[in-house]
Amino acid sequence: MTDDQPEGVRLQKALANAGVASRRVIEQYIVEGRIRVNGQTVTELGTRIDLENDLVDVDGTAVQLDVSKRYVMLNKPTGVVSTMKDENGRPDLRRFTKDWPERLYNVGRLDAETSGLLILTNDGELAHVLAHPSFGVTKVYIAKVSGTVTAQTIGKLTRGIELEDGPIKADKARLLDASRGSSLVELTLHSGRNRIVRRMMAAVGHPVTELVRRQFGPLHLGTLPAGRARELTKIERGALLTLARQDSPANAGKDDKQETE
């Protein structure tokens, strides 16, 4: 959308309102070719955009233009089901969303006995893309398992094992600790298959006793305590939106099941 179409908002105003930089700095970015609209580099200072439909990135990082969208990181504790209302009356996610007026939804799921990083948002398109099994967001888990895990077992996890629904291998796996009959294993996966970490570890003879998701795509749990939620920072939002805009799964049907771990 260019200056000969008066609809929309000037690009430098929109980005300044989004907190990217001052209008003067953004004008310099435009001249330097550092800003793209819908994948096309813009260099015209009169460029106007549609805040609802145009996608803008600066230096390759997506910018959130729609300020009505909310993005929240939750460290889900164990014993909580990943739904906003559980028909069986079990503890659900509603208790963690009361601080935000928007109606938030979870991106994907963690099973009740798995803790860790869960994204809550009112951005339905982003939630659908990131939770779709074919998208393959990288996730990092720390699993406490029964028994002493050996280097051979770690190798088996990265080379690949056969499960009832097909072969699977970890992108990365490493042993963090082994003592008193149990081990801590870090697994990096991009699979969207249900309960995949638990099934993988059971298949190599080391059932999971505790499981936490520490990373989801570019987001890290950090020091966020269990049961606490916070809004993503501007940098985290940019990284998450950039990820969601890359290679959105083609033919991602709305009825496909979300992953559960």
Side-chain angles (χ1 to χ4, degrees), residues 133-252:
S134 68
F135 193 70
V137 177
T138 297
K139 311 169 194 78
V140 178
Y141 298 88
I142 304 293
K144 184 178 181 180
V145 301
S146 299
T148 301
V149 174
T150 65
Q152 289 76 13
T153 299
I154 294 295
K156 188 180 295 185
L157 291 167
T158 55
R159 286 193 304 271
I161 56 176
E162 191 72 33
L163 298 178
E164 65 275 10
D165 54 353
I168 185 70
K169 63 179 180 179
D171 298 333
K172 298 177 184 177
R174 62 183 180 127
L175 178 64
L176 301 180
D177 186 45
S179 62
R180 298 182 181 179
S182 66
S183 303
L184 281 182
V185 178
E186 180 184 85
L187 286 174
T188 301
L189 301 160
H190 64 271
S191 170
R193 286 150 67 175
N194 285 349
R195 298 176 64 85
I196 191 64
V197 173
R198 294 179 185 275
R199 292 194 289 135
M200 288 178 72
M201 295 310 302
V204 295
H206 297 281
V208 170
T209 56
E210 295 178 30
L211 186 61
V212 57
R213 183 160 72 186
R214 296 290 309 175
Q215 183 177 341
F216 182 91
L219 305 181
H220 298 260
L221 196 59
T223 58
L224 186 66
R228 296 289 297 275
R230 66 166 176 83
E231 287 196 54
L232 298 189
T233 66
K234 183 171 67 174
I235 292 174
E236 289 172 333
R237 289 197 307 271
L240 191 66
L241 290 170
T242 301
L243 173 67
R245 293 178 188 178
Q246 293 172 351
D247 305 321
S248 297
N251 306 315

Side-chain angles (χ1 to χ4, degrees), residues 67-87:
V67 295
S68 70
K69 294 294 193 291
R70 190 79 68 178
Y71 305 93
V72 173
M73 179 190 296
L74 167 68
N75 185 349
K76 187 191 83 68
T78 57
V80 175
V81 293
S82 294
T83 181
M84 288 301 167
K85 187 175 183 180
D86 183 61
E87 296 178 353

Side-chain angles (χ1 to χ4, degrees), residues 1-10 46-50 54:
M1 187 176 293
T2 56
D3 200 35
D4 59 358
Q5 296 174 301
E7 302 86 5
V9 179
R10 281 185 179 270
T47 299
R48 292 175 178 270
I49 62 170
D50 181 337
D54 288 336

